[in-house]
Amino acid sequence: MASSIETNQALCNSRGESPGLCGLCDVRDHSVCVEFGPREMAQAERTMARRTVARKHAIMSEGEPNDSLFVVTQGSFLLSKYLEDGRRQVTGFIFKGDLMGVRPTQQSAYTAEALEDSLVCTFSHHYLDEVAKTAPGVKDRLIARGQNEYHRAQDHIVLLGKKTADERVSSFFIQLAKSIGQDLGEGRLEAPLSMARQDIADYLGLRLETLSRTLGSLKSKGIIDSISRKNVVVKT
Amino acid sequence: MASSIETNQALCNSRGESPGLCGLCDVRDHSVCVEFGPREMAQAERTMARRTVARKHAIMSEGEPNDSLFVVTQGSFLLSKYLEDGRRQVTGFIFKGDLMGVRPTQQSAYTAEALEDSLVCTFSHHYLDEVAKTAPGVKDRLIARGQNEYHRAQDHIVLLGKKTADERVSSFFIQLAKSIGQDLGEGRLEAPLSMARQDIADYLGLRLETLSRTLGSLKSKGIIDSISRKNVVVKT
DNA sequence: CGATAAGTTGACATGTCTCAAACTGAGTGG
DNA sequence: CCACTCAGTTTGAGACATGTCAACTTATCG
């Protein structure tokens, strides 16, 4: 799962406070663009494409080439990989402030599809390479983001390799709530759920039915306060 | 698991063919150093430390700071993470030509310990940042390596989340043989095993006993030709 | 308010785990 | 060159967590 905004920075920021679209962007401070100087900012506003992605539509597909970096400014995405026989593994969820496509590639390693109507800023890597010549911090930020992806993947590996169904489900919801939830007080956190049960099950390496049963068990244990299709409240 | 040398490049290479130690290094063309010019090479040979790591000794520890990049020139390493109660998940194996520590960090995400007496070149990230000023390709190489790690981790996630014990074990040995094995002809590949059964089981998210039984089953199916403590021959 | 997709619950099957015992092979010393 | 040892590995029998398949319930949306 992706750890949204808090700790990391994404790509956009105007050091010279230009009042353009980027100047108003609410993920700017957490993105690659933080590294852009006023000149790059102005150029970015012309060069960069803002793109809407409709629910269920892919912005990257496993095996297809991709030469852009995407910064999610609204909405959320699901990352997945398929085995030849159609079994699907969800490898991550992406939220506002997260990046996709840290490196250009002939064959994307995974598919990224929108879980809801979403909005992304796209930067071609060709353009980023240019920017990097005068703003070297951009590359460091990409390295850092890439490492974050890797570390999240390692946590996911531990979850799948060593945790029980109960542990997987509670780890997932607690992490989700901590990363995108809001505090309701009394140690309760509420988070919106843009993904379906099947998506969560495919992320956790469980069957839909097992997830559903486990959810019931966690509710009775008080770890999960309430859960509906679109919302969850967890206690910590 | 790490995909050794073939496809990727690591860090070292003398474009100006200096006949120093680096000039003789057999992983040079696959490493970061490929990007170094003659000047950087000469400097590297003075600055960089070659270090031996004894079997079972850690070169990085989960939670401990690390500010160096390691290039494995001999031997192999095991990467692992632990849950609070001591359960261990092996997140990867590292072989000759692979990198560890792509980014400096206050808290390493995992532990890396030598599976056999090994040899690494260590570059401080402080030094690499200097080099990057005149050899910008170094950063790109680190981004690329970081992404490779991430993609391998995603494959690992699919293995743990969706594959059966049989599939996990055969995937593991086939990938191992393809990456570090040598061709015996007739579609047979032989690879040395520097890790114990327990290490492999912890990598595959299986119990030792399940791995052992599965190995027997794969032998009778002909997917594994033979396997001992130190060697495996797989048929493809 | 009916139609359809999404989620839950039930009963049973099975793959993997658990615990215990037996085996194997490399090193050591008599 | 033969016990002896000890860690590593394999085998056995039974338990249990999760998977499977089917029926049922609940949300969502025209």
Side-chain angles (χ1 to χ4, degrees):
Chain A
M1 184 189 349
S3 78
S4 221
I5 297 179
E6 316 86 2
T7 49
N8 320 307
Q9 312 254 319
L11 282 163
C12 301
N13 174 286
S14 67
R15 285 195 286 227
E17 285 310 313
S18 69
L21 279 167
C22 290
L24 299 167
C25 175
D26 60 343
V27 306
R28 180 193 54 172
D29 290 340
H30 312 280
S31 191
V32 194
C33 344
V34 200
E35 298 293 336
F36 293 4
R39 191 157 32 100
E40 288 89 2
M41 278 299 290
Q43 195 190 352
E45 299 212 335
R46 291 193 308 275
T47 315
M48 180 198 72
R50 272 186 192 69
R51 181 171 157 193
T52 61
V53 186
R55 181 173 131 85
K56 297 205 173 182
H57 283 244
I59 194 171
M60 282 197 259
S61 295
E62 194 174 354
E64 299 295 311
N66 171 55
D67 63 1
S68 294
L69 173 78
F70 303 106
V71 180
V72 178
T73 56
Q74 283 299 329
S76 52
F77 288 80
L78 176 153
L79 309 183
S80 61
K81 285 175 78 81
Y82 288 82
L83 290 172
E84 319 69 48
D85 62 2
R87 280 175 287 177
R88 178 184 79 155
Q89 176 65 40
V90 171
T91 60
F93 294 107
I94 292 288
F95 301 103
K96 193 163 117 173
D98 289 327
L99 308 186
M100 298 184 286
V102 160
R103 187 199 172 200
T105 176
Q106 289 306 307
Q107 305 228 96
S108 292
Y110 52 84
T111 295
E113 71 181 76
L115 286 166
E116 56 196 310
D117 293 348
S118 301
L119 201 52
V120 298
C121 289
T122 80
F123 300 84
S124 83
H125 277 286
H126 177 73
Y127 167 71
L128 286 174
D129 283 342
E130 287 303 313
V131 172
K133 287 176 185 166
T134 55
V138 167
K139 294 280 181 188
D140 287 324
R141 222 161 258 284
L142 291 177
I143 292 174
R145 283 308 195 107
Q147 284 303 102
N148 279 333
E149 286 181 330
Y150 179 51
H151 294 161
R152 286 200 294 251
Q154 285 196 315
D155 289 336
H156 196 180
I157 287 170
V158 174
L159 179 143
L160 294 171
K162 283 276 131 42
K163 294 187 180 178
T164 65
D166 266 41
E167 292 172 320
R168 293 183 201 193
V169 177
S170 52
S171 297
F172 173 78
F173 283 105
I174 290 168
Q175 202 197 325
L176 184 80
K178 283 185 178 166
S179 84
I180 65 161
Q182 59 179 27
D183 200 333
L184 298 182
E186 301 160 9
R188 301 191 319 150
L189 292 168
E190 174 173 25
L193 296 177
S194 54
M195 67 294 284
R197 295 282 189 278
Q198 184 64 63
D199 298 331
I200 300 173
D202 283 350
Y203 177 85
L204 297 176
L206 298 172
R207 314 297 351 228
L208 184 55
E209 298 91 331
T210 304
L211 170 60
S212 189
R213 281 184 243 278
T214 305
L215 245 18
S217 138
L218 292 180
K219 263 190 285 186
S220 67
K221 285 180 188 164
I223 294 168
I224 288 179
D225 200 89
S226 71
I227 182 164
S228 72
R229 268 191 210 178
K230 293 282 156 231
N231 250 272
V232 64
V233 178
V234 305
K235 283 193 269 199
T236 53
Chain B
M1 181 190 349
S3 79
S4 221
I5 298 179
E6 314 86 2
T7 48
N8 319 308
Q9 311 256 317
L11 282 163
C12 300
N13 175 287
S14 68
R15 287 196 285 228
E17 284 311 311
S18 70
L21 280 167
C22 290
L24 299 168
C25 175
D26 59 344
V27 306
R28 180 193 53 174
D29 290 340
H30 312 280
S31 191
V32 195
C33 343
V34 200
E35 298 294 336
F36 294 3
R39 191 154 36 97
E40 288 89 2
M41 278 298 291
Q43 194 189 353
E45 299 213 334
R46 291 193 309 275
T47 316
M48 180 199 70
R50 271 186 192 70
R51 180 172 158 193
T52 61
V53 186
R55 182 174 130 85
K56 297 205 174 184
H57 284 245
I59 193 171
M60 281 197 259
S61 294
E62 194 175 352
E64 299 294 311
N66 171 54
D67 63 1
S68 294
L69 172 79
F70 304 105
V71 180
V72 178
T73 56
Q74 283 299 328
S76 52
F77 288 79
L78 176 153
L79 310 183
S80 61
K81 285 176 78 81
Y82 288 81
L83 290 172
E84 318 69 50
D85 63 2
R87 279 174 287 178
R88 178 183 78 155
Q89 176 65 40
V90 172
T91 60
F93 294 107
I94 292 287
F95 301 102
K96 193 163 116 172
D98 289 327
L99 308 185
M100 299 183 287
V102 160
R103 186 198 173 200
T105 175
Q106 289 305 307
Q107 305 230 96
S108 292
Y110 52 85
T111 296
E113 72 181 75
L115 286 166
E116 55 196 311
D117 293 348
S118 300
L119 201 52
V120 298
C121 290
T122 81
F123 301 86
S124 84
H125 277 286
H126 177 73
Y127 167 71
L128 286 174
D129 282 343
E130 288 304 312
V131 172
K133 288 177 184 164
T134 55
V138 167
K139 294 281 182 189
D140 287 325
R141 223 161 256 284
L142 290 177
I143 293 173
R145 284 308 197 107
Q147 284 302 101
N148 278 334
E149 286 181 329
Y150 179 52
H151 294 160
R152 286 200 293 250
Q154 285 196 315
D155 289 336
H156 196 180
I157 286 169
V158 174
L159 179 143
L160 294 171
K162 282 276 131 40
K163 294 188 180 179
T164 64
D166 266 41
E167 292 172 321
R168 293 183 201 194
V169 177
S170 52
S171 297
F172 173 78
F173 284 105
I174 290 169
Q175 203 197 322
L176 185 79
K178 283 185 178 166
S179 84
I180 65 161
Q182 58 179 27
D183 199 332
L184 298 181
E186 301 159 10
R188 301 191 319 149
L189 292 168
E190 174 173 25
L193 295 176
S194 54
M195 68 294 283
R197 295 284 189 278
Q198 184 64 65
D199 298 330
I200 299 173
D202 283 350
Y203 177 85
L204 297 176
L206 298 172
R207 311 308 336 239
L208 183 55
E209 299 92 330
T210 304
L211 169 60
S212 190
R213 281 184 242 279
T214 305
L215 244 18
S217 138
L218 292 180
K219 262 189 286 187
S220 65
K221 284 180 189 164
I223 293 168
I224 289 179
D225 198 88
S226 71
I227 182 165
S228 72
R229 270 191 208 177
K230 294 280 157 230
N231 251 272
V232 63
V233 178
V234 306
K235 283 193 267 198
T236 54

